[in-house]
Amino acid sequence: MSTTSEAVVDVVVDIVVVGAGPCGLACAIAAQRAGLSAVVIDRGPIVSGIASYPTYMQFFSTAERLSIGGVPFIVATEKPTRRDALAYYRSVATYHQLDVRQFETVVGLEAGHGQGTGPARHTRWRVHTMRRGGALAQYRAHAVVVATGYFGRPNLLGVPGEQLPHVQHGYTEGHQAWHEPVVIIGGGNSAVDAALDMYRAGARVTMVHFLPELDVKIKPWVRPEILARIADGSISVRFSSRVTAIESEHVVVSSDGADERLSATQVYAMTGYLPETGLLELARVPIDAVTGVPSHDPATMATPLPGLYLAGVIASGFDANKIFIENGRDHGDRIAAHVLSH
């Protein structure tokens, strides 16, 4: 969608990075080091994906593996918490004086030849955005990096009642679940973390998982506690079961062909997310229907469209476990080198 004629702001820059997560910030830093100007745009706050994590979450990775931009990530414990990470990435952006445009939504992306004189002659892409209050802006750039991550499109269950207000596809903390009957759908790390946190807050928790046991990748320091709570009955679980409907105060669960109605005033569908590929689809980047991986060269992160790149977990398709901060933070160096070579 083009909004060029309505744009109230027109910015010319070497690289526009869409997504202010750790990998997007790392791309902007790499661009700066290569002598390129960069703007980072995000529809939410800086590292909004991490901000949406559970309040008291602890990372699986060590701080060193989460560091970017040559700025040490120092914490007093072996593994950093969500709060540690938020403070760290804010400090990195401040240290490198990154131009981060928060709460600005990209509404259009189109290839366009440069116009005018100076840097504008070399622009290949136009990025159209809407700012808070509805103001429009246009960015003309030689290259665009899509680093939109995973947290914009929840993996929906597709069952009646999923859109009810007490159903959530994310989780922050358990305080609001005190003495409430809660159903958590899923059996991975997110589901287990939510179940334990709400149990500690005094909720009556039942987990529903389609597999006969918890996922094999449960964090090793968490697995003993969740198994103990299931064994002593503090947390109920329905394995080999699926939710078939959600009602105002109940969840209908099917197990071996038999239905059961579980009490639930709060429902958390911890079923993961799909990659946020909307902009790539808009630009007509080919996306593999089976793997969900957008077409790109892993050596340069370049898509088949000149000047359009991927960074971070968006390049992993449906398998979000392939790319993390620790192996996505170097994408910016590959992109900057490729931009300079062209």
Side-chain angles (χ1 to χ4, degrees):
M1 176 176 66
S2 175
T3 58
T4 305
S5 62
E6 303 170 328
V8 296
V9 176
D10 187 10
V11 178
V12 178
V13 67
D14 293 322
I15 297 178
V16 168
V17 181
V18 184
C23 294
L25 298 178
C27 287
I29 295 169
Q32 284 187 353
R33 288 175 169 173
L36 302 169
S37 58
V39 168
V40 184
I41 302 172
D42 199 295
R43 64 188 177 190
I46 186 172
V47 292
S48 59
I50 294 176
S52 69
Y53 287 173
T55 304
Y56 306 108
M57 192 206 78
Q58 187 175 45
F59 279 85
F60 185 89
S61 299
T62 61
E64 186 278 328
R65 294 192 173 195
L66 301 176
S67 64
I68 61 173
V71 179
F73 189 173
I74 300 173
V75 293
T77 55
E78 180 185 3
K79 300 180 187 298
T81 65
R82 165 188 173 275
R83 187 178 183 185
D84 293 330
L86 292 177
Y88 170 74
Y89 291 117
R90 291 195 305 266
S91 69
V92 170
T94 301
Y95 175 80
H96 285 283
Q97 298 182 334
L98 300 182
D99 186 351
V100 181
R101 311 291 176 98
Q102 301 180 107
F103 306 103
E104 186 166 347
T105 302
V106 175
V107 296
L109 176 64
E110 60 181 351
H113 299 292
Q115 298 176 353
T117 60
R121 292 184 297 113
H122 304 291
T123 57
R124 289 174 168 173
W125 289 92
R126 293 174 185 167
V127 180
H128 304 287
T129 69
M130 180 177 292
R131 297 177 172 178
R132 283 180 289 196
L136 302 176
Q138 171 184 264
Y139 296 83
R140 289 183 284 167
H142 177 76
V144 173
V145 179
V146 178
T148 46
Y150 246 73
F151 293 102
R153 297 171 62 187
N155 192 16
L156 299 177
L157 299 168
V159 301
E162 188 170 12
Q163 303 306 319
L164 289 172
H166 67 295
V167 181
Q168 300 185 45
H169 289 274
Y171 171 78
T172 52
E173 60 178 295
H175 173 75
Q176 69 274 15
W178 177 71
H179 285 192
E180 292 290 309
V182 174
V183 165
I184 298 172
I185 305 168
N189 277 303
S190 296
V192 167
D193 287 343
L196 289 172
D197 194 31
M198 280 191 275
Y199 153 73
R200 298 185 194 110
R204 303 195 300 274
V205 180
T206 300
M207 300 180 67
V208 178
H209 191 34
F210 73 97
L211 293 175
E213 59 183 2
L214 296 174
D215 291 359
V216 296
K217 294 183 179 180
I218 299 298
K219 291 174 284 193
W221 63 89
V222 173
R223 180 176 288 276
E225 183 179 2
I226 185 63
L227 292 179
R229 298 292 74 77
I230 291 173
D232 66 18
S234 300
I235 295 177
S236 300
V237 64
R238 301 293 188 275
F239 286 123
S240 301
S241 303
R242 291 184 180 274
V243 170
T244 58
I246 301 173
E247 303 169 353
S248 59
E249 294 189 1
H250 293 87
V251 168
V252 181
V253 176
S254 178
S255 305
D256 295 325
D259 287 348
E260 178 184 11
R261 294 175 76 241
L262 303 175
S263 294
T265 57
Q266 298 179 26
V267 179
Y268 295 86
M270 312 301 288
T271 51
Y273 291 81
L274 298 172
E276 186 62 86
T277 56
L279 289 180
L280 300 176
E281 295 166 10
L282 188 65
R284 298 185 178 179
V285 173
I287 299 175
D288 187 276
V290 176
T291 66
V293 175
S295 180
H296 70 287
D297 179 358
T300 63
M301 305 307 295
T303 72
L305 282 65
L308 186 62
Y309 299 84
L310 308 178
V313 70
I314 190 71
S316 66
F318 299 137
D319 187 0
N321 292 318
K322 286 174 56 178
I323 298 177
F324 303 93
I325 297 172
E326 55 223 59
N327 61 350
R329 59 186 177 179
D330 297 327
H331 290 171
D333 293 325
R334 304 178 206 175
I335 294 169
H338 192 257
V339 170
L340 286 177
S341 70
H342 290 71

